[in-house]
Amino acid sequence: MTALKVEDIRQFTSSLFIGNVFDRFLMREAQIVTFNTFQIDGHIRKEYYTDQEIQEGHIGELSAWEAIKPVCYGLIKGKKLPGSFQIVLQLGPEQTEAFLKKRQLPIRAEQISGLYLNVRYEEGELFCVTGTSVNFFTLDKSLETEWDEAVRLFLKGHKIPYVED
């Protein structure tokens, strides 16, 4: 787990809520505090869809950030800054598989519960905190180390300035 403090909050939030930088992530959950506290659960309710819609739309367990982003943006836009927000993004199954292959890690995708990017804004500061979850016990930290580095490279690649906290 690594905490990265974003130096240019305006640029980051524009990339998050307006741009497409984070669109390939899935959203696990979000909490946005403005005039109310809004909680969003990113888990898809499959009973809402027909079997055909699920198959044709490749609907999985979690909503794509790209689909939820306009809802979240609608909650924070305006003249006043939000009191806080926390958004838990997760790498999708295909991206997880590609990540493991590229990094040549000795772990299978089905052993990973999630590779997370927690975005947290509060008290005028914004942090990106990495996280990993596996469904077995291990003392090996190579997955965590590689994910931390991948997030650093992701932010650098999108010219998002940060400092390690």
Side-chain angles (χ1 to χ4, degrees):
M1 180 178 83
T2 298
L4 308 170
K5 182 178 179 184
V6 174
E7 293 183 306
D8 188 340
I9 295 173
R10 183 179 301 267
Q11 176 201 359
F12 183 90
T13 54
S14 177
S15 296
L16 181 66
F17 293 112
I18 300 169
N20 61 1
V21 171
F22 296 89
D23 284 359
R24 294 187 66 198
F25 283 91
L26 303 176
M27 192 207 65
R28 192 162 192 77
E29 63 187 61
Q31 177 179 301
I32 298 171
V33 179
T34 56
F35 59 91
N36 285 106
T37 299
F38 299 92
Q39 303 268 5
I40 302 172
D41 181 351
H43 290 85
I44 301 237
R45 294 181 53 245
K46 298 254 177 143
E47 62 273 8
Y48 181 79
Y49 297 101
T50 65
D51 290 340
Q52 183 179 354
E53 288 172 321
I54 290 171
Q55 192 172 34
E56 289 175 1
H58 304 287
I59 296 172
E61 179 186 339
L62 298 171
S63 294
W65 172 245
E66 181 179 23
I68 298 294
K69 169 176 71 173
V71 174
C72 294
Y73 181 61
L75 293 172
I76 67 157
K77 73 178 180 178
K79 294 180 182 178
K80 294 182 179 183
L81 292 173
S84 66
F85 64 80
Q86 180 171 334
I87 300 168
V88 180
L89 300 174
Q90 180 177 335
L91 205 59
E94 300 84 20
Q95 291 83 12
T96 298
E97 189 75 51
F99 168 78
L100 292 172
K101 187 176 180 180
K102 182 178 181 180
R103 301 290 178 142
Q104 299 179 344
L105 292 167
I107 185 171
R108 296 184 318 274
E110 58 271 8
Q111 293 177 303
I112 298 176
S113 301
L115 298 174
Y116 303 109
L117 178 60
N118 300 289
V119 179
R120 188 180 74 230
Y121 171 78
E122 59 189 351
E123 298 179 12
E125 296 183 322
L126 194 143
F127 292 89
C128 290
V129 181
T130 61
T132 60
S133 177
V134 294
N135 55 22
F136 67 98
F137 178 76
T138 181
L139 294 174
D140 182 6
K141 297 292 183 192
S142 60
L143 176 65
E144 185 176 321
T145 302
E146 291 293 330
W147 178 240
D148 291 348
E149 184 58 24
V151 170
R152 287 184 194 100
L153 291 172
F154 175 81
L155 295 176
K156 284 180 186 175
H158 290 284
K159 298 180 176 36
I160 298 172
Y162 66 86
V163 293
E164 302 247 356
D165 194 50

